[in-house]
């Protein structure tokens, strides 16, 4: 058993992380969240480690994933995006501006996961508050900024759709 509590066999995995190729040895029972943290991805946060809070959300092949529940060994050949790789993405800029405007981040611990999950909504056009709530229900916030976050996402989606019309 290793110091991290992981043990057993290891294998080499290769994936694309924020546009750069990565090759790393992982334990076969090592969650992707821990591997991403080992790679310095501090916006991937582990809180519950059992798939309940969404703090560890990243995009794997474009889909939001709770990386604490995703074996790193399964990531071989995938394309992974974290918030730190999307700082110049205009959807992220719009969300961050809107989160600041609505005061939707208190301690900010959950915010990267919230942003990663919310990104999927941009492909679906404008959403009602209920639809946003349903999409975001796997992301928990200990500071209880839920109403503010829903308003922030709704506003960012509305702004993005307006800019598509013009
Ligand atoms: S740390 Fe992964 S869902 Fe909570
Ligand atoms: S802002 Fe503190 S956990 Fe969400």
């Amino acid at each position: 058993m290793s110091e991290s509590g992981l043990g057993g066999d290891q294998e080499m995995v290769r994936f694309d992380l924020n546009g750069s190729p990565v090759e790393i040895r992982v334990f076969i029972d090592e969650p992707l969240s821990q591997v991403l943290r080992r790679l310095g991805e501090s916006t991937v946060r582990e809180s519950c480690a059992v798939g309940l809070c969404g703090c560890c959300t990243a995009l794997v092949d474009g889909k939001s994933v709770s990386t604490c529940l995703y074996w790193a060994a399964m990531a071989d050949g995938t394309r992974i995006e974290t918030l730190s790789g999307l700082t110049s993405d205009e959807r992220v800029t719009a969300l961050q501006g809107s989160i600041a405007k609505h005061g939707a981040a208190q301690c900010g611990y959950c915010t990267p996961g919230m942003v990663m999950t919310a990104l999927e909504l941009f492909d679906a056009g404008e959403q009602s508050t209920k639809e946003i709530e349903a999409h975001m229900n796997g992301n928990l916030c200990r500071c209880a900024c839920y109403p503010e976050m829903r308003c922030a996402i709704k506003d960012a989606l509305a702004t993005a759709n307006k800019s598509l019309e013009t």
Side-chain angles (χ1 to χ4, degrees):
M1 183 78 68
S2 73
E3 278 178 15
S4 65
L6 301 164
D9 295 338
Q10 296 183 23
E11 62 183 72
M12 192 65 88
V13 294
R14 292 166 192 84
F15 50 79
D16 180 290
L17 177 60
N18 296 325
S20 300
V22 168
E23 184 173 295
I24 187 166
R25 189 170 290 282
V26 304
F27 289 100
I28 54 165
D29 55 354
E30 189 170 16
L32 180 58
S33 51
Q34 291 184 15
V35 171
L36 293 172
R37 298 280 307 182
R38 279 208 273 137
L39 290 165
E41 292 297 326
S42 59
T43 60
V44 175
R45 295 173 176 168
E46 219 179 56
S47 183
C48 71
V50 290
L52 292 176
C53 73
C55 289
C56 63
T57 303
L59 301 182
V60 178
D61 290 335
K63 290 241 174 322
S64 68
V65 162
S66 291
T67 56
C68 66
L69 289 186
Y70 193 104
W71 298 128
M74 287 170 50
D76 194 49
T78 62
R79 179 173 53 88
I80 299 172
E81 291 161 293
T82 66
L83 187 58
S84 68
L86 294 172
T87 49
S88 52
D89 185 306
E90 53 191 36
R91 299 166 306 167
V92 170
T93 310
L95 278 167
Q96 286 174 330
S98 195
I99 287 168
K101 179 176 145 200
H102 288 275
Q106 295 289 313
C107 76
Y109 192 82
C110 68
T111 312
M114 292 271 185
V115 169
M116 295 308 283
T117 303
L119 280 179
E120 285 178 318
L121 288 167
F122 281 79
D123 293 333
E126 248 177 88
Q127 301 278 299
S128 69
T129 304
K130 279 240 166 307
E131 286 168 321
I132 292 171
E133 199 175 298
H135 184 75
M136 300 300 296
N137 73 0
N139 288 76
L140 304 185
C141 175
R142 286 175 294 191
C143 304
C145 297
Y146 299 108
E148 294 85 355
M149 185 57 80
R150 284 195 291 274
C151 289
I153 294 170
K154 202 167 190 324
D155 249 16
L157 291 174
T159 307
N161 281 322
K162 260 195 212 109
S163 69
L164 280 179
E165 284 164 15
T166 54

